[in-house]
Amino acid sequence: MADVAAKLAGLDWDRVMAEIPADCRETIAGDDFSGDPLAYLTTHFMALRGFYLEAAQRGLFVVSWWD
């Protein structure tokens, strides 16, 4: 968990966002989305990064299951 938290914390988010071409930004959000797709992605990325940081600090782990 700590390694995932460290990688997310070390990610240059502004650089990642700058790499998304303007003509692809609407595709990311989908047809029913009316806000700023970069702000939407940033909000969710920050939540994900915070989740992994908190989990690493508390010694927790993540289990994913899908079928």
Side-chain angles (χ1 to χ4, degrees), residues 5-67:
K7 288 182 193 249
L8 289 172
L11 191 69
D12 183 348
W13 186 246
D14 291 331
R15 183 174 174 193
V16 171
M17 291 290 93
E19 292 296 322
I20 300 175
D23 60 336
C24 293
R25 293 178 182 173
E26 294 304 319
T27 303
I28 291 169
D31 294 335
D32 296 333
F33 186 78
S34 62
D36 177 8
L38 299 184
Y40 175 81
L41 290 173
T42 298
T43 299
H44 287 279
F45 173 75
M46 296 303 168
L48 180 71
R49 185 165 66 176
F51 170 80
Y52 274 93
L53 178 62
E54 177 76 18
Q57 290 171 343
R58 295 177 59 191
L60 302 175
F61 61 93
V62 175
V63 175
S64 298
W65 175 22
W66 64 93
D67 52 359

Side-chain angles (χ1 to χ4, degrees), residues 4 21-22:
V4 173

